[in-house]
Amino acid sequence: MSAKPTCLIVASASPQGVSATSFHQSFSLCTSVFNLQTATPGGKPIDFVGVDESTARWVQDFNLKPYATPAKLESIDGARYQVLLIPDCPGAPNDLAHSGSLHRILTHFISHQKPVCAVGQGVSALCCATEGQKWIFNGYSLTGPSVFELVRRPDFANLPLVVEDFVKDSGGSYTASQEDAVHVVIDRHLITGQNMQSTSLAVNNLILLSSAK
Protein backbone atom coordinates (compact mmCIF):
# COMPACT_ATOMS: atom_id res chain seq x y z
CA MET A 1 0.00 0.00 0.00
CA SER A 2 1.58 3.28 -1.06
CA ALA A 3 1.57 6.25 1.29
CA LYS A 4 -1.35 8.65 1.00
CA PRO A 5 -0.60 11.79 -0.99
CA THR A 6 -0.51 15.01 1.00
CA CYS A 7 -3.13 17.68 0.35
CA LEU A 8 -2.68 21.30 1.33
CA ILE A 9 -5.97 23.05 2.18
CA VAL A 10 -5.52 26.81 1.97
CA ALA A 11 -8.08 29.02 3.72
CA SER A 12 -8.61 32.73 4.19
CA ALA A 13 -7.77 34.48 7.45
CA SER A 14 -9.78 37.63 6.74
CA PRO A 15 -12.88 38.48 8.82
CA GLN A 16 -15.24 37.40 5.99
CA GLY A 17 -14.04 33.89 6.76
CA VAL A 18 -14.45 30.44 5.29
CA SER A 19 -17.69 28.69 4.33
CA ALA A 20 -18.36 26.08 7.02
CA THR A 21 -20.36 23.91 4.60
CA SER A 22 -17.74 23.95 1.84
CA PHE A 23 -14.85 23.32 4.24
CA HIS A 24 -16.75 20.53 6.00
CA GLN A 25 -17.56 18.76 2.73
CA SER A 26 -13.98 19.21 1.46
CA PHE A 27 -12.38 17.96 4.64
CA SER A 28 -14.74 15.01 5.04
CA LEU A 29 -14.21 13.81 1.45
CA CYS A 30 -10.44 14.23 1.59
CA THR A 31 -9.60 12.88 5.02
CA SER A 32 -9.64 9.20 4.02
CA VAL A 33 -7.74 9.80 0.76
CA PHE A 34 -5.06 12.33 1.68
CA ASN A 35 -2.87 13.38 4.54
CA LEU A 36 -4.21 16.87 5.20
CA GLN A 37 -2.50 20.10 6.17
CA THR A 38 -4.41 23.37 6.56
CA ALA A 39 -2.72 26.73 6.07
CA THR A 40 -3.81 30.37 6.36
CA PRO A 41 -2.00 33.69 6.01
CA GLY A 42 -0.08 34.16 9.26
CA GLY A 43 -1.33 30.80 10.53
CA LYS A 44 -4.41 32.51 11.93
CA PRO A 45 -7.30 30.30 13.12
CA ILE A 46 -10.00 29.53 10.55
CA ASP A 47 -13.11 31.64 11.10
CA PHE A 48 -16.08 29.62 9.85
CA VAL A 49 -19.11 31.48 8.48
CA GLY A 50 -22.57 30.19 7.63
CA VAL A 51 -22.49 27.62 10.45
CA ASP A 52 -25.90 25.91 10.65
CA GLU A 53 -27.42 22.89 12.37
CA SER A 54 -25.75 20.49 9.94
CA THR A 55 -22.23 21.87 10.50
CA ALA A 56 -22.24 23.29 14.05
CA ARG A 57 -21.29 20.05 15.78
CA TRP A 58 -18.61 19.23 13.21
CA VAL A 59 -17.04 22.70 13.49
CA GLN A 60 -17.04 22.37 17.29
CA ASP A 61 -15.29 18.98 17.10
CA PHE A 62 -12.89 20.15 14.38
CA ASN A 63 -11.71 23.11 16.45
CA LEU A 64 -10.61 20.76 19.22
CA LYS A 65 -8.39 18.69 16.95
CA PRO A 66 -4.63 19.33 16.64
CA TYR A 67 -4.92 19.74 12.85
CA ALA A 68 -7.38 22.60 13.34
CA THR A 69 -4.40 24.90 13.96
CA PRO A 70 -3.30 26.02 10.48
CA ALA A 71 0.30 26.31 9.39
CA LYS A 72 1.57 29.71 8.25
CA LEU A 73 1.03 29.99 4.51
CA GLU A 74 4.25 32.01 4.34
CA SER A 75 6.33 29.02 5.51
CA ILE A 76 4.71 26.36 3.27
CA ASP A 77 6.96 24.59 0.76
CA GLY A 78 4.78 23.61 -2.20
CA ALA A 79 7.12 20.77 -3.11
CA ARG A 80 5.99 18.85 -0.03
CA TYR A 81 2.39 18.59 -1.28
CA GLN A 82 0.85 16.65 -4.14
CA VAL A 83 -2.59 18.29 -4.15
CA LEU A 84 -3.87 21.82 -3.44
CA LEU A 85 -7.44 22.60 -2.37
CA ILE A 86 -9.01 26.00 -1.71
CA PRO A 87 -12.60 25.69 -0.46
CA ASP A 88 -15.23 28.42 -0.72
CA CYS A 89 -13.80 31.33 1.31
CA PRO A 90 -15.79 34.59 1.27
CA GLY A 91 -12.65 36.19 2.73
CA ALA A 92 -10.33 35.06 -0.09
CA PRO A 93 -10.70 38.21 -2.26
CA ASN A 94 -9.35 40.22 0.69
CA ASP A 95 -6.19 38.24 1.44
CA LEU A 96 -5.50 35.14 -0.67
CA ALA A 97 -6.18 37.00 -3.95
CA HIS A 98 -2.98 39.03 -3.45
CA SER A 99 -0.89 36.57 -1.43
CA GLY A 100 2.72 36.34 -2.56
CA SER A 101 3.10 33.09 -0.63
CA LEU A 102 0.19 31.45 -2.42
CA HIS A 103 1.53 32.77 -5.74
CA ARG A 104 4.80 30.97 -5.03
CA ILE A 105 2.97 27.71 -4.20
CA LEU A 106 0.71 27.93 -7.26
CA THR A 107 3.71 28.54 -9.52
CA HIS A 108 5.24 25.30 -8.26
CA PHE A 109 1.96 23.40 -8.78
CA ILE A 110 1.56 24.73 -12.32
CA SER A 111 5.14 23.94 -13.33
CA HIS A 112 4.79 20.35 -12.04
CA GLN A 113 1.19 19.89 -13.30
CA LYS A 114 -0.04 18.96 -9.82
CA PRO A 115 -3.82 18.92 -9.20
CA VAL A 116 -5.31 22.20 -7.99
CA CYS A 117 -8.96 22.62 -6.93
CA ALA A 118 -10.67 25.90 -5.98
CA VAL A 119 -14.33 26.39 -5.15
CA GLY A 120 -16.60 29.45 -5.02
CA GLN A 121 -14.82 32.52 -3.70
CA GLY A 122 -11.79 30.29 -3.20
CA VAL A 123 -11.29 30.67 -6.97
CA SER A 124 -10.39 34.33 -6.37
CA ALA A 125 -7.26 33.05 -4.60
CA LEU A 126 -5.94 31.94 -8.01
CA CYS A 127 -5.86 35.59 -9.05
CA CYS A 128 -2.74 36.18 -6.94
CA ALA A 129 -0.61 34.33 -9.47
CA THR A 130 0.36 37.11 -11.86
CA GLU A 131 3.92 37.55 -13.09
CA GLY A 132 4.41 40.97 -14.57
CA GLN A 133 1.22 41.46 -16.56
CA LYS A 134 0.69 37.74 -17.22
CA TRP A 135 -1.58 35.46 -15.19
CA ILE A 136 -0.21 31.93 -14.86
CA PHE A 137 -3.69 30.52 -15.57
CA ASN A 138 -3.88 32.46 -18.84
CA GLY A 139 -5.50 30.14 -21.41
CA TYR A 140 -7.22 27.96 -18.81
CA SER A 141 -10.98 27.38 -18.65
CA LEU A 142 -12.49 27.90 -15.25
CA THR A 143 -15.54 28.92 -13.30
CA GLY A 144 -16.18 30.79 -10.08
CA PRO A 145 -18.93 32.90 -8.51
CA SER A 146 -20.96 34.71 -11.16
CA VAL A 147 -21.76 38.39 -10.87
CA PHE A 148 -25.40 37.36 -10.41
CA GLU A 149 -24.40 35.35 -7.33
CA LEU A 150 -22.06 37.99 -5.91
CA VAL A 151 -24.47 40.89 -6.31
CA ARG A 152 -26.68 39.33 -3.64
CA ARG A 153 -23.93 39.82 -1.05
CA PRO A 154 -24.31 42.89 1.18
CA ASP A 155 -20.63 43.72 0.64
CA PHE A 156 -20.75 43.42 -3.16
CA ALA A 157 -19.95 47.11 -3.68
CA ASN A 158 -16.79 46.71 -1.60
CA LEU A 159 -15.47 43.50 -3.15
CA PRO A 160 -11.83 44.10 -4.13
CA LEU A 161 -12.08 41.58 -6.95
CA VAL A 162 -14.73 39.88 -9.09
CA VAL A 163 -13.54 36.51 -10.40
CA GLU A 164 -15.60 36.64 -13.60
CA ASP A 165 -14.11 40.01 -14.62
CA PHE A 166 -10.55 39.08 -13.61
CA VAL A 167 -10.56 35.81 -15.58
CA LYS A 168 -11.94 37.46 -18.72
CA ASP A 169 -9.47 40.36 -18.45
CA SER A 170 -6.51 38.03 -17.84
CA GLY A 171 -6.83 35.67 -20.79
CA GLY A 172 -8.79 32.89 -19.12
CA SER A 173 -12.05 31.38 -20.37
CA TYR A 174 -14.87 31.86 -17.84
CA THR A 175 -18.19 30.02 -17.73
CA ALA A 176 -21.01 29.94 -15.21
CA SER A 177 -24.37 28.28 -14.84
CA GLN A 178 -27.48 29.59 -13.11
CA GLU A 179 -27.15 31.02 -9.62
CA ASP A 180 -26.56 28.27 -7.00
CA ALA A 181 -26.40 25.56 -9.68
CA VAL A 182 -23.74 22.87 -9.51
CA HIS A 183 -21.10 23.74 -12.11
CA VAL A 184 -17.55 22.36 -12.25
CA VAL A 185 -14.89 22.99 -14.90
CA ILE A 186 -11.85 20.73 -15.37
CA ASP A 187 -8.98 21.94 -17.54
CA ARG A 188 -5.79 19.90 -17.40
CA HIS A 189 -4.89 19.72 -13.70
CA LEU A 190 -7.08 22.64 -12.61
CA ILE A 191 -10.57 22.02 -11.20
CA THR A 192 -12.87 24.92 -10.31
CA GLY A 193 -16.35 24.94 -8.81
CA GLN A 194 -18.72 27.87 -9.29
CA ASN A 195 -20.09 28.05 -5.76
CA MET A 196 -20.49 26.31 -2.42
CA GLN A 197 -23.04 23.93 -3.98
CA SER A 198 -20.32 22.67 -6.35
CA THR A 199 -17.93 21.68 -3.55
CA SER A 200 -18.64 17.96 -3.42
CA LEU A 201 -18.44 17.40 -7.19
CA ALA A 202 -15.27 19.49 -7.51
CA VAL A 203 -13.50 17.71 -4.65
CA ASN A 204 -14.53 14.26 -5.90
CA ASN A 205 -12.98 15.15 -9.25
CA LEU A 206 -9.83 16.29 -7.44
CA ILE A 207 -9.63 12.87 -5.79
CA LEU A 208 -10.09 11.16 -9.17
CA LEU A 209 -7.45 13.37 -10.78
CA SER A 210 -4.89 12.76 -8.06
CA SER A 211 -5.39 8.99 -8.18
CA ALA A 212 -4.86 9.04 -11.95
CA LYS A 213 -1.45 10.71 -11.70
Side-chain angles (χ1 to χ4, degrees):
M1 181 77 182
S2 59
K4 289 197 287 189
T6 304
C7 174
L8 178 66
I9 300 180
V10 175
S12 170
S14 81
Q16 290 80 5
V18 177
S19 160
T21 301
S22 184
F23 190 93
H24 174 214
Q25 289 178 3
S26 299
F27 200 92
S28 301
L29 287 166
C30 288
T31 192
S32 64
V33 185
F34 304 121
N35 293 313
L36 298 175
Q37 171 70 63
T38 55
T40 60
K44 293 177 184 171
I46 296 171
D47 188 9
F48 291 109
V49 296
V51 178
D52 58 17
E53 288 178 6
S54 65
T55 52
R57 180 64 183 271
W58 184 86
V59 167
Q60 195 176 14
D61 290 345
F62 176 83
N63 284 331
L64 297 173
K65 299 286 197 305
Y67 49 65
T69 304
K72 283 185 179 177
L73 189 61
E74 295 79 2
S75 61
I76 291 290
D77 176 7
R80 294 180 54 201
Y81 302 92
Q82 287 76 50
V83 180
L84 176 64
L85 172 58
I86 309 167
D88 182 22
C89 303
N94 298 296
D95 57 2
L96 297 180
H98 47 80
S99 164
S101 302
L102 184 58
H103 178 185
R104 173 175 49 78
I105 295 164
L106 284 168
T107 301
H108 168 81
F109 268 75
I110 286 283
S111 63
H112 291 82
Q113 300 283 294
K114 292 180 179 179
V116 174
C117 177
V119 178
Q121 280 287 52
V123 178
S124 65
L126 305 178
C127 301
C128 71
T130 51
E131 293 171 358
Q133 295 298 309
K134 188 175 168 65
W135 188 37
I136 63 172
F137 292 102
N138 173 34
Y140 278 77
S141 297
L142 63 163
T143 185
S146 67
V147 170
F148 295 112
E149 288 172 319
L150 293 176
V151 78
R152 299 177 302 187
R153 289 175 49 147
D155 62 343
F156 176 72
N158 300 316
L159 277 179
L161 180 142
V162 174
V163 168
E164 181 173 344
D165 295 340
F166 181 94
V167 173
K168 290 174 178 175
D169 292 345
S170 304
S173 175
Y174 175 88
T175 60
S177 184
Q178 299 167 334
E179 299 97 290
D180 305 323
V182 173
H183 182 59
V184 172
V185 174
I186 304 169
D187 186 350
R188 287 159 275 182
H189 57 103
L190 176 67
I191 299 167
T192 48
Q194 180 176 326
N195 44 38
M196 182 187 73
Q197 292 84 348
S198 304
T199 302
S200 179
L201 189 63
V203 173
N204 272 304
N205 275 287
L206 177 68
I207 292 167
L208 281 171
L209 194 61
S210 68
S211 65
K213 282 189 77 69

